[in-house]
Structure formats: C-alpha cells, structure tokens
C-alpha cells in the first residue's frame, strides 16, 4: 500500500489525537467514514501504526530530571551487546537507549525525580550493566525540542 497524501494526512491526524473518531478523521481528510476506517486498518496491518497509547506527562509525574549517559562497553561482540541490551531494557528509568557508532557505544536517556534519584539509578543499575567499561553523564537543563514523532 502506498503512503499517498491522504494516508499521510491520516497519520498526521492520528499522531495529534489517536482517540479521534473515524467520523471526525474522515471529515479532516476529506473522505467518508468507511474508506478512512479501511485505510487505518491497512496502515495498522502494514505496521506503520504500531499501536495506540496514553502519553503521560513526565513533569506532572515528578520526573523532571533528564540525564544523558554515554556508555563504553568492554566487549562489542554480538553476545555481549545482546546481554547489555536485555539488561538495560529492565531499567524503568531508561527512557531511550541507542547503540552508537563513534567514540562510545551507547547513548542512554534517563528520566528521574532529581539528582539523588539519578545517582541511585546510576550506582545501582546502570553501572552494574554487563560489560560497562566507563560512563559519562550530561544533565539536560531545558528541553528545546521534545517531540515523540517524526514529521511525515
């Protein structure tokens, strides 16, 4: 299925409000309800729409402290990387984690209540991850851009 202009508009509208009714979505994209519902179902089946979820406010939950941690591991063979990946996924405070090509191996975004909470997560969880050789932390002062999707 092609990602035509209508499908792009459907995706854009769903990113803004995934709870929009099919009737309202149809109105916004200029189609009737049945073809829009069919297109949404096709987009889901294609895997372009992976799911729907509630987006919580970390600020209102008291998770105002964001730290980026770079990690160098001592072993970059596939088995070691998989063990690291499996272990880091078990840390709920880790919001994002990327394997990086460059001077270090991983970039981790950690969201906590405050510096004390971060220090505890760092000492008890991140530093204990398999194969960690060294880490460097960078505290975010302000979110200049924070978007959860890429513009189509």
């Amino acid at each position: 299925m092609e990602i035509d202009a209508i499908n792009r508009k459907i995706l854009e509208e769903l990113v803004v409000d995934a709870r929009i009714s099919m009737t309202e979505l149809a109105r916004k994209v200029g189609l009737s309800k049945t073809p829009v519902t069919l297109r949404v179902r096709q987009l889901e089946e294609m895997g372009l729409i992976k799911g729907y979820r509630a987006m919580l406010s970390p600020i209102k939950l008291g998770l105002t402290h964001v730290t980026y941690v770079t990690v160098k591991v001592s072993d970059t063979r596939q088995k070691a990387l998989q063990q690291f990946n499996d272990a880091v996924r078990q840390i709920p405070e880790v919001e994002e984690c990327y394997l990086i090509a460059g001077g270090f191996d991983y970039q981790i975004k950690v969201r906590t209540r405050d510096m004390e909470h971060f220090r505890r997560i760092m000492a008890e969880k991140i530093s204990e991850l398999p194969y960690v050789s060294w880490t460097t932390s960078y505290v975010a002062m302000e979110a200049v851009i924070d978007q959860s999707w890429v513009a189509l």
Side-chain angles (χ1 to χ4, degrees):
M1 181 177 169
E2 185 181 327
I3 309 299
D4 62 14
I6 292 174
N7 285 341
R8 287 183 189 283
K9 182 68 174 157
I10 288 170
L11 292 171
E12 289 170 2
E13 292 297 333
L14 288 173
V15 166
V16 172
D17 180 9
R19 296 182 68 189
I20 190 172
S21 72
M22 288 297 122
T23 303
E24 180 64 14
L25 181 58
R27 186 189 67 72
K28 287 189 171 203
V29 301
L31 294 176
S32 64
K33 181 179 174 181
T34 301
V36 164
T37 302
L38 178 62
R39 282 174 177 258
V40 169
R41 190 173 302 122
Q42 288 171 334
L43 292 166
E44 291 168 345
E45 289 169 0
M46 290 174 60
L48 280 170
I49 298 174
K50 297 189 322 183
Y52 302 90
R53 63 182 176 178
M55 293 179 63
L56 306 178
S57 168
I59 304 304
K60 294 200 183 242
L61 290 169
L63 301 171
T64 58
H65 191 268
V66 175
T67 306
Y68 291 90
V69 180
T70 60
V71 178
K72 180 76 171 164
V73 294
S74 58
D75 188 346
T76 57
R77 291 176 291 181
Q78 186 57 39
K79 184 177 179 182
L81 295 177
Q82 192 58 53
Q83 288 176 3
F84 180 94
N85 295 349
D86 292 343
V88 78
R89 287 183 185 111
Q90 302 306 310
I91 304 173
E93 293 83 2
V94 171
E95 194 169 277
E96 298 176 9
C97 179
Y98 299 95
L99 181 61
I100 301 291
F104 54 91
D105 299 304
Y106 285 92
Q107 174 82 34
I108 302 174
K109 179 181 179 184
V110 181
R111 187 176 285 278
T112 55
R113 289 183 303 278
D114 51 32
M115 182 57 81
E116 180 182 334
H117 184 200
F118 169 73
R119 287 182 63 202
R120 191 171 70 252
I121 298 308
M122 195 62 205
E124 297 173 7
K125 296 181 181 180
I126 294 173
S127 294
E128 297 296 322
L129 289 167
Y131 305 102
V132 169
S133 177
W134 57 260
T135 64
T136 304
S137 301
Y138 303 90
V139 176
M141 296 188 322
E142 175 184 357
V144 177
I145 297 175
D146 184 4
Q147 61 184 38
S148 58
W149 63 284
V150 177
L152 300 175

